[in-house]
Short mmCIF file of all heavy atoms in Angstrom, two decimals:
data_model
loop_
_atom_site.label_atom_id
_atom_site.label_comp_id
_atom_site.label_asym_id
_atom_site.label_seq_id
_atom_site.Cartn_x
_atom_site.Cartn_y
_atom_site.Cartn_z
N VAL A 1 2.47 3.80 12.12
CA VAL A 1 2.70 2.36 11.99
C VAL A 1 3.97 1.90 12.68
O VAL A 1 4.23 0.69 12.76
CB VAL A 1 2.75 1.92 10.51
CG1 VAL A 1 1.51 2.40 9.77
CG2 VAL A 1 4.01 2.44 9.83
N LYS A 2 4.75 2.82 13.20
CA LYS A 2 6.02 2.48 13.84
C LYS A 2 5.79 1.54 15.03
O LYS A 2 4.92 1.78 15.87
CB LYS A 2 6.73 3.76 14.29
CG LYS A 2 8.18 3.57 14.67
CD LYS A 2 8.86 4.92 14.91
CE LYS A 2 8.87 5.77 13.66
NZ LYS A 2 9.57 7.07 13.89
N GLY A 3 6.56 0.47 15.06
CA GLY A 3 6.42 -0.53 16.10
C GLY A 3 5.45 -1.64 15.77
O GLY A 3 5.44 -2.67 16.45
N ARG A 4 4.63 -1.45 14.74
CA ARG A 4 3.67 -2.46 14.32
C ARG A 4 4.00 -3.06 12.96
O ARG A 4 3.75 -4.24 12.72
CB ARG A 4 2.25 -1.87 14.27
CG ARG A 4 1.76 -1.34 15.62
CD ARG A 4 0.28 -0.95 15.54
NE ARG A 4 0.05 0.14 14.60
CZ ARG A 4 -0.73 0.04 13.52
NH1 ARG A 4 -1.38 -1.10 13.27
NH2 ARG A 4 -0.90 1.09 12.72
N PHE A 5 4.54 -2.25 12.05
CA PHE A 5 4.88 -2.70 10.70
C PHE A 5 6.38 -2.84 10.57
O PHE A 5 7.15 -2.08 11.18
CB PHE A 5 4.39 -1.70 9.66
CG PHE A 5 2.90 -1.60 9.50
CD1 PHE A 5 2.03 -2.20 10.39
CD2 PHE A 5 2.37 -0.87 8.44
CE1 PHE A 5 0.66 -2.09 10.24
CE2 PHE A 5 0.99 -0.76 8.27
CZ PHE A 5 0.13 -1.37 9.18
N THR A 6 6.82 -3.79 9.74
CA THR A 6 8.23 -3.99 9.47
C THR A 6 8.43 -4.20 7.97
O THR A 6 7.79 -5.06 7.37
CB THR A 6 8.78 -5.21 10.22
OG1 THR A 6 8.57 -5.05 11.63
CG2 THR A 6 10.28 -5.35 9.96
N ILE A 7 9.33 -3.41 7.38
CA ILE A 7 9.65 -3.57 5.97
C ILE A 7 10.95 -4.37 5.85
O ILE A 7 11.86 -4.21 6.67
CB ILE A 7 9.76 -2.20 5.26
CG1 ILE A 7 9.82 -2.38 3.74
CG2 ILE A 7 10.95 -1.40 5.76
CD1 ILE A 7 9.65 -1.08 2.96
N SER A 8 11.02 -5.23 4.85
CA SER A 8 12.20 -6.03 4.63
C SER A 8 12.32 -6.35 3.15
O SER A 8 11.38 -6.13 2.38
CB SER A 8 12.17 -7.32 5.45
OG SER A 8 11.08 -8.14 5.07
N SER A 9 13.46 -6.88 2.74
CA SER A 9 13.67 -7.22 1.34
C SER A 9 14.43 -8.53 1.23
O SER A 9 15.20 -8.91 2.11
CB SER A 9 14.43 -6.12 0.61
OG SER A 9 15.73 -5.94 1.14
N ASP A 10 14.18 -9.22 0.15
CA ASP A 10 14.87 -10.46 -0.20
C ASP A 10 15.46 -10.23 -1.58
O ASP A 10 14.76 -10.32 -2.59
CB ASP A 10 13.91 -11.64 -0.19
CG ASP A 10 14.61 -12.97 -0.41
OD1 ASP A 10 15.70 -12.99 -1.03
OD2 ASP A 10 14.07 -14.00 0.02
N ASN A 11 16.74 -9.93 -1.63
CA ASN A 11 17.37 -9.59 -2.90
C ASN A 11 17.40 -10.76 -3.88
O ASN A 11 17.31 -10.57 -5.09
CB ASN A 11 18.79 -9.07 -2.67
CG ASN A 11 18.82 -7.69 -2.06
OD1 ASN A 11 17.78 -7.03 -1.93
ND2 ASN A 11 20.00 -7.23 -1.69
N ALA A 12 17.50 -11.98 -3.36
CA ALA A 12 17.52 -13.16 -4.22
C ALA A 12 16.20 -13.30 -4.97
O ALA A 12 16.17 -13.76 -6.11
CB ALA A 12 17.81 -14.41 -3.41
N LYS A 13 15.10 -12.93 -4.32
CA LYS A 13 13.78 -12.99 -4.95
C LYS A 13 13.35 -11.66 -5.54
O LYS A 13 12.28 -11.58 -6.14
CB LYS A 13 12.73 -13.45 -3.93
CG LYS A 13 12.96 -14.85 -3.38
CD LYS A 13 11.88 -15.23 -2.40
CE LYS A 13 12.08 -16.63 -1.87
NZ LYS A 13 11.02 -17.02 -0.89
N ASN A 14 14.17 -10.62 -5.36
CA ASN A 14 13.84 -9.26 -5.81
C ASN A 14 12.46 -8.85 -5.32
O ASN A 14 11.63 -8.31 -6.06
CB ASN A 14 13.92 -9.15 -7.33
CG ASN A 14 14.71 -7.92 -7.78
OD1 ASN A 14 15.77 -7.62 -7.22
ND2 ASN A 14 14.20 -7.22 -8.78
N THR A 15 12.22 -9.08 -4.03
CA THR A 15 10.92 -8.85 -3.43
C THR A 15 11.06 -8.03 -2.15
O THR A 15 11.97 -8.26 -1.35
CB THR A 15 10.22 -10.18 -3.11
OG1 THR A 15 10.05 -10.92 -4.33
CG2 THR A 15 8.86 -9.95 -2.48
N VAL A 16 10.14 -7.08 -1.97
CA VAL A 16 10.04 -6.29 -0.75
C VAL A 16 8.78 -6.70 -0.01
O VAL A 16 7.73 -6.90 -0.63
CB VAL A 16 10.03 -4.79 -1.06
CG1 VAL A 16 9.76 -3.98 0.21
CG2 VAL A 16 11.36 -4.37 -1.67
N TYR A 17 8.87 -6.81 1.30
CA TYR A 17 7.75 -7.24 2.12
C TYR A 17 7.36 -6.14 3.12
O TYR A 17 8.20 -5.35 3.55
CB TYR A 17 8.09 -8.51 2.92
CG TYR A 17 8.54 -9.66 2.06
CD1 TYR A 17 9.89 -9.93 1.87
CD2 TYR A 17 7.61 -10.50 1.45
CE1 TYR A 17 10.31 -10.99 1.08
CE2 TYR A 17 8.02 -11.56 0.67
CZ TYR A 17 9.37 -11.81 0.49
OH TYR A 17 9.77 -12.87 -0.29
N LEU A 18 6.10 -6.13 3.48
CA LEU A 18 5.62 -5.29 4.56
C LEU A 18 4.84 -6.19 5.52
O LEU A 18 3.72 -6.60 5.22
CB LEU A 18 4.73 -4.16 4.06
CG LEU A 18 4.28 -3.16 5.13
CD1 LEU A 18 5.48 -2.38 5.67
CD2 LEU A 18 3.22 -2.21 4.58
N GLN A 19 5.46 -6.51 6.66
CA GLN A 19 4.81 -7.29 7.70
C GLN A 19 4.00 -6.34 8.57
O GLN A 19 4.55 -5.42 9.16
CB GLN A 19 5.84 -8.04 8.53
CG GLN A 19 5.24 -8.86 9.67
CD GLN A 19 4.40 -10.02 9.18
OE1 GLN A 19 4.83 -10.75 8.29
NE2 GLN A 19 3.21 -10.19 9.74
N MET A 20 2.70 -6.57 8.65
CA MET A 20 1.79 -5.70 9.38
C MET A 20 1.19 -6.48 10.54
O MET A 20 0.44 -7.44 10.33
CB MET A 20 0.69 -5.17 8.47
CG MET A 20 1.22 -4.47 7.22
SD MET A 20 -0.08 -3.70 6.22
CE MET A 20 -0.99 -5.16 5.71
N ASN A 21 1.52 -6.08 11.76
CA ASN A 21 1.01 -6.71 12.96
C ASN A 21 0.13 -5.74 13.74
O ASN A 21 0.17 -4.53 13.52
CB ASN A 21 2.17 -7.17 13.85
CG ASN A 21 3.05 -8.20 13.20
OD1 ASN A 21 2.58 -9.03 12.41
ND2 ASN A 21 4.34 -8.19 13.53
N SER A 22 -0.64 -6.28 14.66
CA SER A 22 -1.53 -5.47 15.51
C SER A 22 -2.36 -4.50 14.68
O SER A 22 -2.46 -3.31 14.98
CB SER A 22 -0.70 -4.71 16.55
OG SER A 22 0.04 -5.59 17.36
N LEU A 23 -2.97 -5.03 13.64
CA LEU A 23 -3.70 -4.18 12.71
C LEU A 23 -4.92 -3.54 13.36
O LEU A 23 -5.59 -4.15 14.20
CB LEU A 23 -4.13 -4.99 11.49
CG LEU A 23 -2.99 -5.26 10.49
CD1 LEU A 23 -3.36 -6.39 9.54
CD2 LEU A 23 -2.67 -3.99 9.71
N LYS A 24 -5.18 -2.31 12.96
CA LYS A 24 -6.29 -1.51 13.46
C LYS A 24 -7.25 -1.18 12.32
O LYS A 24 -6.84 -1.16 11.16
CB LYS A 24 -5.77 -0.21 14.08
CG LYS A 24 -4.73 -0.39 15.17
CD LYS A 24 -4.18 0.95 15.62
CE LYS A 24 -3.11 0.80 16.68
NZ LYS A 24 -2.56 2.11 17.10
N PRO A 25 -8.50 -0.89 12.64
CA PRO A 25 -9.44 -0.50 11.57
C PRO A 25 -8.93 0.68 10.74
O PRO A 25 -9.20 0.73 9.53
CB PRO A 25 -10.71 -0.14 12.34
CG PRO A 25 -10.65 -1.00 13.56
CD PRO A 25 -9.19 -1.05 13.93
N GLU A 26 -8.21 1.61 11.36
CA GLU A 26 -7.70 2.75 10.62
C GLU A 26 -6.58 2.40 9.65
O GLU A 26 -6.14 3.25 8.87
CB GLU A 26 -7.23 3.86 11.58
CG GLU A 26 -6.29 3.37 12.67
CD GLU A 26 -7.01 3.10 13.98
OE1 GLU A 26 -8.09 2.48 13.95
OE2 GLU A 26 -6.50 3.50 15.04
N ASP A 27 -6.09 1.16 9.68
CA ASP A 27 -5.13 0.70 8.69
C ASP A 27 -5.80 0.29 7.38
O ASP A 27 -5.10 0.00 6.41
CB ASP A 27 -4.32 -0.48 9.23
CG ASP A 27 -3.44 -0.10 10.40
OD1 ASP A 27 -2.80 0.97 10.36
OD2 ASP A 27 -3.37 -0.90 11.36
N THR A 28 -7.12 0.24 7.37
CA THR A 28 -7.85 -0.15 6.17
C THR A 28 -7.55 0.83 5.04
O THR A 28 -7.71 2.04 5.18
CB THR A 28 -9.36 -0.18 6.44
OG1 THR A 28 -9.64 -1.21 7.40
CG2 THR A 28 -10.13 -0.47 5.17
N ALA A 29 -7.09 0.30 3.91
CA ALA A 29 -6.71 1.13 2.77
C ALA A 29 -6.29 0.24 1.62
O ALA A 29 -6.09 -0.97 1.78
CB ALA A 29 -5.56 2.07 3.15
N VAL A 30 -6.13 0.85 0.46
CA VAL A 30 -5.42 0.20 -0.64
C VAL A 30 -3.94 0.51 -0.46
O VAL A 30 -3.56 1.68 -0.33
CB VAL A 30 -5.92 0.69 -2.01
CG1 VAL A 30 -5.10 0.04 -3.12
CG2 VAL A 30 -7.39 0.38 -2.18
N TYR A 31 -3.12 -0.51 -0.44
CA TYR A 31 -1.69 -0.36 -0.25
C TYR A 31 -0.97 -0.50 -1.59
O TYR A 31 -1.22 -1.45 -2.35
CB TYR A 31 -1.16 -1.41 0.73
CG TYR A 31 -1.50 -1.08 2.17
CD1 TYR A 31 -2.81 -1.17 2.63
CD2 TYR A 31 -0.51 -0.68 3.06
CE1 TYR A 31 -3.13 -0.85 3.93
CE2 TYR A 31 -0.82 -0.36 4.37
CZ TYR A 31 -2.13 -0.45 4.80
OH TYR A 31 -2.44 -0.14 6.11
N TYR A 32 -0.10 0.46 -1.87
CA TYR A 32 0.63 0.51 -3.13
C TYR A 32 2.13 0.39 -2.89
O TYR A 32 2.68 1.07 -2.01
CB TYR A 32 0.37 1.83 -3.86
CG TYR A 32 -1.07 2.06 -4.25
CD1 TYR A 32 -1.94 2.74 -3.40
CD2 TYR A 32 -1.56 1.62 -5.47
CE1 TYR A 32 -3.26 2.96 -3.76
CE2 TYR A 32 -2.87 1.85 -5.84
CZ TYR A 32 -3.71 2.52 -4.97
OH TYR A 32 -5.02 2.75 -5.34
N CYS A 33 2.77 -0.41 -3.68
CA CYS A 33 4.22 -0.46 -3.73
C CYS A 33 4.71 0.60 -4.71
O CYS A 33 4.08 0.85 -5.74
CB CYS A 33 4.67 -1.85 -4.18
SG CYS A 33 6.44 -2.15 -4.16
N ALA A 34 5.82 1.25 -4.39
CA ALA A 34 6.34 2.32 -5.24
C ALA A 34 7.86 2.35 -5.18
O ALA A 34 8.47 1.89 -4.21
CB ALA A 34 5.78 3.68 -4.81
N SER A 35 8.46 2.93 -6.22
CA SER A 35 9.91 3.06 -6.26
C SER A 35 10.31 4.35 -6.95
O SER A 35 9.62 4.83 -7.85
CB SER A 35 10.54 1.86 -6.98
OG SER A 35 11.96 1.95 -6.94
N ASP A 36 11.42 4.89 -6.51
CA ASP A 36 12.00 6.11 -7.06
C ASP A 36 13.42 6.19 -6.54
O ASP A 36 13.69 5.77 -5.42
CB ASP A 36 11.18 7.33 -6.63
CG ASP A 36 11.59 8.60 -7.36
OD1 ASP A 36 12.65 9.17 -7.03
OD2 ASP A 36 10.83 9.04 -8.23
N LEU A 37 14.31 6.74 -7.34
CA LEU A 37 15.69 6.89 -6.90
C LEU A 37 15.80 7.72 -5.62
O LEU A 37 16.73 7.53 -4.84
CB LEU A 37 16.55 7.51 -8.00
CG LEU A 37 16.91 6.61 -9.18
CD1 LEU A 37 17.62 7.41 -10.25
CD2 LEU A 37 17.78 5.45 -8.71
N HIS A 38 14.85 8.62 -5.41
CA HIS A 38 14.86 9.50 -4.24
C HIS A 38 13.74 9.16 -3.27
O HIS A 38 13.30 10.02 -2.50
CB HIS A 38 14.75 10.96 -4.67
CG HIS A 38 15.85 11.39 -5.58
ND1 HIS A 38 15.68 11.53 -6.94
CD2 HIS A 38 17.14 11.72 -5.33
CE1 HIS A 38 16.81 11.92 -7.48
NE2 HIS A 38 17.71 12.05 -6.53
N LEU A 39 13.27 7.91 -3.27
CA LEU A 39 12.10 7.56 -2.48
C LEU A 39 12.31 7.77 -0.98
O LEU A 39 11.41 8.23 -0.28
CB LEU A 39 11.69 6.11 -2.73
CG LEU A 39 10.35 5.69 -2.12
CD1 LEU A 39 9.21 6.46 -2.78
CD2 LEU A 39 10.14 4.20 -2.24
N TYR A 40 13.49 7.42 -0.47
CA TYR A 40 13.73 7.60 0.96
C TYR A 40 13.59 9.06 1.35
O TYR A 40 12.97 9.38 2.37
CB TYR A 40 15.12 7.09 1.34
CG TYR A 40 15.41 7.22 2.82
CD1 TYR A 40 14.93 6.28 3.73
CD2 TYR A 40 16.15 8.29 3.31
CE1 TYR A 40 15.19 6.41 5.08
CE2 TYR A 40 16.41 8.42 4.67
CZ TYR A 40 15.93 7.47 5.54
OH TYR A 40 16.18 7.59 6.89
N GLU A 41 14.13 9.96 0.54
CA GLU A 41 14.02 11.39 0.82
C GLU A 41 12.59 11.87 0.67
O GLU A 41 12.14 12.74 1.44
CB GLU A 41 14.95 12.18 -0.10
CG GLU A 41 16.44 11.99 0.18
CD GLU A 41 16.99 10.68 -0.37
OE1 GLU A 41 16.29 10.00 -1.15
OE2 GLU A 41 18.13 10.35 -0.02
N ILE A 42 11.86 11.34 -0.30
CA ILE A 42 10.47 11.71 -0.49
C ILE A 42 9.67 11.43 0.77
O ILE A 42 8.87 12.25 1.23
CB ILE A 42 9.87 10.97 -1.70
CG1 ILE A 42 10.47 11.51 -3.01
CG2 ILE A 42 8.35 11.12 -1.72
CD1 ILE A 42 10.09 10.69 -4.23
N LEU A 43 9.87 10.26 1.36
CA LEU A 43 9.11 9.86 2.54
C LEU A 43 9.62 10.51 3.81
O LEU A 43 8.84 11.08 4.58
CB LEU A 43 9.13 8.34 2.69
CG LEU A 43 8.04 7.57 1.96
CD1 LEU A 43 8.14 7.75 0.44
CD2 LEU A 43 8.09 6.09 2.32
N SER A 44 10.91 10.45 4.05
CA SER A 44 11.46 10.91 5.32
C SER A 44 11.43 12.44 5.46
O SER A 44 11.32 12.95 6.58
CB SER A 44 12.89 10.40 5.51
OG SER A 44 13.76 10.92 4.50
N LEU A 45 11.52 13.15 4.36
CA LEU A 45 11.54 14.61 4.37
C LEU A 45 10.21 15.21 3.92
O LEU A 45 10.12 16.43 3.79
CB LEU A 45 12.68 15.13 3.50
CG LEU A 45 14.09 14.68 3.88
CD1 LEU A 45 15.11 15.24 2.89
CD2 LEU A 45 14.44 15.10 5.30
N SER A 46 9.20 14.37 3.67
CA SER A 46 7.91 14.85 3.16
C SER A 46 8.10 15.69 1.91
O SER A 46 7.48 16.74 1.74
CB SER A 46 7.15 15.62 4.24
OG SER A 46 6.89 14.81 5.36
#
């Protein structure tokens, strides 16, 4: 998704966004929001 999706946050609204552009059929899925104190490490380090 790199180059097509952009994640951002609005702290005033306590909301996280995922802007998805140039969508492809293979992007079809159920999308889940998730949180964890170590979430960045979970994703970046598999």
Side-chain angles (χ1 to χ4, degrees):
V1 307
K2 193 172 298 182
R4 300 188 297 120
F5 291 10
T6 303
I7 191 169
S8 63
S9 63
D10 185 335
N11 288 352
K13 297 181 178 179
N14 228 43
T15 300
V16 173
Y17 303 97
L18 185 67
Q19 179 66 46
M20 306 186 295
N21 298 327
S22 302
L23 283 163
K24 305 174 181 179
E26 51 263 45
D27 295 317
T28 295
V30 177
Y31 284 71
Y32 298 91
C33 185
S35 184
D36 190 285
L37 286 174
H38 301 103
L39 189 66
Y40 181 81
E41 291 78 11
I42 290 171
L43 272 63
S44 63
L45 301 178
S46 299

